[in-house]
Amino acid sequence: MTTPLRGNRDFRLLWLSGLFAVLGGQMSALALPLLVLKETGSAVQAGAIGTVSVGAVLITMLPGGVMADRVERRRLMRICDVGSLIVVTALAAAVWSGHVPMTLVLLCAAAGAVIGSVYGPAVFGLMRAVVPADQMGTATARLQARTQTARLVGPLVGGALFGIHPALPFAAEALGLFLSTVCVALVRTRSRARAKAGAVFSRRELTAGLTFLWGLPYLRTVLLVFGLGMNFAFGALTFTALTAFSDGGRSGVGGGFVLTCVSAGALSGALLAPRIRPARHSRILIVATCWTCVAAAGVMAWVSRPVVAGLMCALTMCLSTIASIGFLSKLLVVTPEEKVGRVQSAAGFLSSMVQPFGPLAGGALLTAFGARWAFALTGCVLALSALVVTFAPSARTEPAPPDEASPAGTPEPAAGPAPADDGPGPVPTTGPEHTPAAARRAVPGD
């Protein structure tokens, strides 16, 4: 008989680990750009932090997946936690001393991004060993709900702490990482490192995840259209709404309402997902999400009211979160255990590589054509993506799980009872949860 998630000790520990890390990270995510602006007075230098961290993530994401499949994953997570703790503690000490060189901030951003690129795939692999396949959708939803709640609360607390002393948000993250490290150390489940493999960072190893995804038509189509195209277009849509309803930067009320609705929609989707069991209906949810995005763009093109735009974004984000949880659960179940790290990093790489360009495209359309046409043209891109997901034959047949009877798919337990061996949900986030604030973009949402 399968143990319920509430009785799964290792899942609870991983859930708490992520809560401490994400909450601490969100506290300092707001404080980091404020700190750079306070120290330098330069918005360009503040923006350079995001550029360095995004670039480092994209460069190290695929090698991070290889490492997650080469090293026992719990051990790798502990190493990454300790590395993150050292990075954040160094930053907190520098801020407390009143001397924060820009070089240190950039180094922390790059180091944190590299650590996060390794930690994320390792979490995915260990979650598969901790959570049974039939509970993966529920586990993914609970992880997403935890993350979205931390993202709503963290920046408010971080801003208040920054007002007391600029070092406090970073000290809070260091405390969160310490508690996260303790939780990971208490996890009993182990995952087996690959016994036989070629060169660590050979071309074959680095592209193994991409090759696996490309070899399954359903995963290939959904990732390229829903993960790549929709991420790009929805980023453009939300940025256009933020700018258009902020009255050219003269008021933040309308734009802030839209962003709050996006976060509320993501949290609602994560809370609703366990009731819907999205892993069983992932294709239907993906198609519904795509067409809801098209409808949202059309409504915003003709109704120029922040309340309407916020509600449409909330509905879209709610459906998108549920669909993403379903797809992510499906991805974990169909991936062979020895490839989980590389496949997860490859999926994240594909979904993230165009994400920074969505707001840029939205701003260009808004400047060239105005708000109404910017929404309408973005809606056309969304409609094209929706048509492909709806009618493409490759998007209609979902892959079957691999044969779990093979030795490569069996995790190696530690002493004591271990949970069933099937079965994240990024840790379901688009960015690594344990990346220090210095390596995280200070932008809302995923």
Side-chain angles (χ1 to χ4, degrees):
M1 182 176 179
T2 303
T3 304
L5 280 179
R6 63 177 177 273
N8 189 327
R9 174 183 178 276
D10 283 355
F11 175 76
R12 295 200 310 269
L13 286 170
L14 289 177
W15 191 93
L16 284 172
S17 169
L19 175 65
F20 292 134
V22 177
L23 187 60
Q26 288 299 310
M27 288 183 191
S28 56
L30 177 67
L32 186 67
L34 295 179
L35 174 67
V36 175
L37 287 172
K38 177 177 179 292
E39 294 291 326
T40 67
S42 171
V44 175
Q45 292 191 48
I49 304 301
T51 301
V52 168
S53 61
V54 171
V57 165
L58 291 177
I59 291 171
T60 59
M61 192 172 287
L62 295 180
V66 176
M67 290 297 298
D69 286 337
R70 287 294 192 117
V71 181
E72 197 282 309
R73 288 159 183 155
R74 176 179 167 274
R75 181 186 306 160
L76 188 60
M77 290 166 61
R78 293 170 66 184
I79 293 172
C80 289
D81 263 337
V82 172
S84 298
L85 180 59
I86 292 172
V87 169
V88 174
T89 302
L91 183 61
V95 176
W96 187 267
S97 69
H99 179 65
V100 189
M102 189 64 181
T103 303
L104 174 62
V105 176
L106 292 175
L107 285 174
C108 289
V114 172
I115 291 170
S117 294
V118 176
Y119 190 97
V123 169
F124 271 82
L126 190 59
M127 280 295 298
R128 181 182 167 90
V130 167
V131 179
D134 60 349
Q135 295 180 346
M136 187 55 62
T138 302
T140 301
R142 291 186 182 180
L143 293 169
Q144 183 76 311
R146 171 207 65 193
T147 300
Q148 295 300 334
T149 301
R151 287 178 174 173
L152 285 175
V153 175
L156 296 176
V157 179
L161 291 176
F162 188 86
I164 299 173
H165 193 284
L168 290 180
F170 306 107
E173 182 175 24
L175 176 61
L177 286 168
F178 173 76
L179 295 175
S180 173
T181 304
V182 173
C183 289
V184 173
L186 294 174
V187 172
R188 294 172 181 165
T189 304
R190 305 290 190 273
S191 61
R192 178 179 298 167
R194 297 176 67 199
K196 296 180 180 180
V200 177
F201 296 130
S202 65
R203 179 180 177 183
R204 180 178 179 179
E205 289 293 297
L206 291 173
T207 60
L210 295 171
T211 301
F212 176 83
L213 294 172
W214 192 260
L216 295 177
Y218 175 79
L219 298 181
R220 178 177 69 227
T221 302
V222 173
L223 276 171
L224 290 178
V225 178
F226 186 66
L228 202 76
M230 293 295 291
N231 258 357
F232 174 81
F234 190 71
L237 184 72
T238 52
F239 182 82
T240 302
L242 168 65
T243 306
F245 298 121
S246 293
D247 194 21
R250 290 184 289 273
S251 171
V253 176
F257 176 77
V258 171
L259 294 182
T260 299
C261 286
V262 169
S263 297
L267 177 58
S268 300
L271 295 174
L272 288 172
R275 301 177 181 273
I276 298 174
R277 302 179 79 86
R280 297 184 179 181
H281 313 288
S282 59
R283 182 180 180 276
I284 295 174
L285 289 167
I286 288 171
V287 171
T289 299
C290 291
W291 287 110
T292 303
C293 285
V294 176
V299 169
M300 284 188 273
W302 297 102
V303 182
S304 300
R305 295 182 180 275
V307 173
V308 175
L311 292 176
M312 292 303 299
C313 285
L315 174 62
T316 301
M317 199 63 192
C318 178
L319 284 174
S320 176
T321 300
I322 297 173
S324 297
I325 289 171
F327 177 76
L328 182 56
S329 302
K330 176 72 67 176
L331 177 64
L332 277 177
V333 170
V334 303
T335 302
E337 196 273 338
E338 74 275 8
K339 292 184 179 180
V340 170
R342 287 167 293 170
V343 170
Q344 186 273 337
S345 62
F349 179 79
L350 289 175
S351 299
S352 302
M353 60 188 302
V354 299
Q355 201 167 11
F357 300 105
L360 181 63
L365 290 174
L366 188 62
T367 302
F369 302 106
R372 174 165 292 183
W373 278 105
F375 285 127
L377 292 172
T378 303
C380 291
V381 177
L382 291 166
L384 180 62
S385 299
L387 287 170
V388 174
V389 170
T390 303
F391 297 108
S394 58
R396 296 185 179 184
T397 305
E398 298 184 10
D403 182 7
E404 291 298 334
S406 62
T410 305
E412 182 180 7
D421 61 345
D422 241 342
V427 195
T429 62
T430 56
E433 289 188 311
H434 285 57
T435 305
R440 194 180 294 115
R441 285 173 292 165
V443 295
D446 269 332

